[in-house]
Amino acid sequence: MNDNFVRDLILADNASGRYGGRVHTRFPPEPNGYLHVGHAKSIMLNFGLAGEFEGICNLRFDDTNPTKEEAEYVESIVEDVSWLAGHADFPTFYASDYFQQLYDWAVDLIRKGKAYVCDLSGDQVRETRGTLTEPGKNSPYRDRSVEENLDLFARMKAGEFSDGSRTLRAKVDMASPNLNMRDPVMYRILRAEHHRTGDAWCIYPMYDWAHGQSDSIEGITHSICTLEFEDHRPLYDWFLDQLGVFHPQQIEFDRLNLTYTVMSKRKLLQLVQQGVVESWDDPRMPTISGMRRRGYSPQGLRNFARNLGVSKTNGITELEKLEYYIREDLNRTALRVMVVLRPLKLVLTNYPEGQVETVEAVNNPEDASAGTRSVPFSRELWIEQDDFRETPPKGYHRLYPGNEVRLRYGYIIKCHDAVKDPQTGEITEVHCTFDPETRSGQQTRKVKSTIHWVSAETAVPVEARLYDKLFTVENPNEAPEGRDFTAYLNPDSLETVQGKAEPSLANARPGDRYQFERLGYFCADKSTSAGRPVFNRTVGLRDTWAKLQSQLSG
Ligand code: ATP
Ligand code: MG
């Protein structure tokens, strides 16, 4: 990441020798959904800082809530972190591995008179918690003896009490101005199958109790999390101080928010469950797996995340900025090919029937080492419907009767007339002649437009899925009265077209990325099979973010 205050804090700790110069971070997702682009920021920050200071970054599953967590999510998270980091060479841990240690430490706190078993219900705990302006009320169970607490806690663990009937609470201060310090719940009784520990436990630690202690067990030096945990830091510190164990430093930074995007896993799950999108990896989802399937490169995402600021106030980043970094990377790396998405037949009436020649096309003008390829050219071609108009609007320089254009890598052609369907009036064929003296590379006259094309005889049929924004407004989180964010879903977020591609695309494999000349960047979908490629539109060619920036500064 660019210069930021988190790095400055680490530098200061290194200078003072606080952790002996050691830097050990962690990325701690809860496996209750797939990772999204917001997590990419956290991953880049945590892995980036560890890399920079020759430290270590752990992947730690914060798996303390068995009712919402699943093994499927664990697997997807490992895959996504490896893909984004570019390697799978990071230590992986689970908070559930520490359940016994956490239990023993809770017993410790009871012995020290710093935790007690409370018989209030969840509602009662909430009701007696007080407000920002009023202190809370002490629980009537707050002064239980250590012996009674030890006995009750052991019996909670042994399964003697019903779900929700008791909790273990930290004995901090019900009058604290910080609500997190008002005797927070450490354990709840919950009979639920855990994806790793099965039914070994019927009490589960709360996030605040599990998190800092897990950091301590792993020897984390800098526990970097998002701003909403700032108010939890006093509790984070309190637990570690009471236990007298290794004490990491919690540091908070701002969450990534993107325009036209919802990021909360709860909302993303809703989209999947309601069938608004196909799956967690639907290319319209802001998930890392969705972005991968859409064709975003890990390098492009890394560049984006690296260029985000790290600050102490939450803001909102333009989606166009993300697309800028994706486009920039694809421009450097993607092979250029010719594909027609809305085909219209074009016949070169003076080109010999049955003749095929090949033209030499450049694979990537940004990268000479990508070389060239031969593309077949013949009498019948496919062109975009858009590239022909019977009556051209003002400023239209592509094909219309009487006008000349250049075929990319080919000849200059002149349009003579169009064939229409007598019933519908729809244009079915465009008739042109080619000028044999104008083959690409030869010294010839200039024309105003160049259009792409695909030779009809050897064309490969392709399906292209054209994605647009999933939401119609910049901030779908602010829903209208009585509705939720789905009120703003874009009904046109996906259009599927059947196109024609040059022969080289018959060999496209899932995940291959291309620039379709003049159309945008596309990536072969996982459903691609031999000879039947399916492409997802990754991003268009036009750079709207750079334009936005120059408008702002100009
Ligand atoms: P969500 O609110 O999207 O459900 P979460 O915060 O509950 O996300 P976790 O699995 O707990 O998700 O997050 C793992 C790590 O990623 C945490 O350290 C969290 O602070 C960080 N993180 C989550 N969302 C973002 C975001 N939008 N920007 C930056 N970091 C994030
Ligand atoms: Mg969370």
Side-chain angles (χ1 to χ4, degrees), residues 27-30 36 38-39 42 226 253 255-256 263-265:
F27 171 64
E30 184 183 351
H36 51 62
H39 292 115
S42 179
T226 37
F253 72 99
R255 296 177 87 82
L256 170 68
M263 211 94 89
S264 128
K265 282 185 276 190

Side-chain angles (χ1 to χ4, degrees), residues 350-392:
N350 63 337
Y351 195 89
E353 286 199 40
Q355 178 173 316
V356 178
E357 66 186 291
T358 54
V359 301
E360 216 44 23
V362 175
N363 286 333
N364 185 352
E366 305 288 320
D367 175 8
S369 73
T372 60
R373 69 191 183 286
S374 301
V375 180
F377 180 86
S378 59
R379 177 182 161 94
E380 295 200 357
L381 309 173
W382 295 111
I383 62 164
E384 296 289 345
Q385 289 166 15
D386 234 21
D387 285 337
F388 172 80
R389 294 292 173 86
E390 200 177 14
T391 355

